[in-house]
Amino acid sequence: MDINLLFKIAGIGILVAVLHQVLSKAGRDDQAMMVSLAGMVIVLTIVINEISDLFATVRTVFNL
Amino acid sequence: MNIIKIIGIGFLTLVISILLKDVKKEFSLYAVIVGTSIILLLSFDTLKNIVEFLENLTRNLKGDFIEVLLKMTGIAILTEYAVSLCKDTGETAIASKIDFGGKIVLIALSIPVISSTLEGLTKLL
């Protein structure tokens, strides 16, 4: 569960950066913006799931 | 608690966040958030055993001080997690506000303990 999350984020980050460069060089700046936004949304969902796991664990361990 | 795994994940997160820093600036923050929460989750497994041991140890004690103590440590851990993340990106203003909020919550939590100890003292005198 844990390690490949990191690799997934790294992969998405690099992919988005490359696509952004390619699309902006090809003159389609709006699609480049769309790609980076989509990448950010995907990574944000991963981050939010991870943080909700963390808070749930803390809540159960310390019965907050 | 295999420390090797924790150090390994720490270095892995470090490398990934540095790699992402020059490729795409904001993604390095996401990698750091996920990496640090993974390390915390790993160390919480052993922390759970310690907490259970503490609870069994103090089961027959009067008063729920151990309950409040555990809550305080939980709040302190989470606050420190958020503060160090904010400081890491250089946002010291946000970090200090979170720290301030955490302190307020801790003080609010400790009010009943203080009042009960004072009552105990006044009964003694």
Side-chain angles (χ1 to χ4, degrees), chain B residues 26-70:
Chain B
E26 63 274 12
F27 277 72
S28 85
L29 172 63
Y30 301 144
V32 166
I33 289 178
V34 170
T36 43
S37 55
I38 286 172
I39 293 179
L40 266 184
L41 284 172
L42 271 181
S43 51
F44 271 139
D45 298 343
T46 49
L47 194 58
K48 193 190 287 285
N49 307 340
I50 296 170
V51 164
E52 268 148 21
F53 170 71
L54 267 177
E55 272 173 355
N56 299 343
L57 207 64
T58 62
R59 188 158 310 287
N60 40 35
L61 256 182
K62 188 177 71 55
D64 57 356
F65 298 145
I66 193 71
E67 201 67 40
V68 176
L69 271 180
L70 285 181

Side-chain angles (χ1 to χ4, degrees), chain A residues 2-3 6-7 9-10 12-14 16-17 39-40 43-44 47 50-51 54-55 57-58 61-64, chain B residues 9 16 19 23-24 26-27 30-31 33-34 37-38 40-41 44 47-48 55 67 70-71 73-74 77-78 81:
Chain A
D2 40 11
I3 301 290
L6 280 174
F7 294 141
I9 288 179
I12 291 176
I14 294 170
V16 160
M40 188 176 293
V43 171
L44 264 184
V47 167
E50 200 58 33
I51 286 187
L54 177 72
F55 283 158
T57 321
V58 167
V61 167
F62 295 103
N63 41 55
L64 274 174
Chain B
I9 292 182
I16 285 180
L19 171 75
V23 170
K24 203 121 180 59
E26 63 274 12
F27 277 72
Y30 301 144
I33 289 178
V34 170
S37 55
I38 286 172
L40 266 184
L41 284 172
F44 271 139
L47 194 58
K48 193 190 287 285
E55 272 173 355
E67 201 67 40
L70 285 181
K71 279 195 170 63
T73 37
I77 287 176
L78 282 184
Y81 173 73

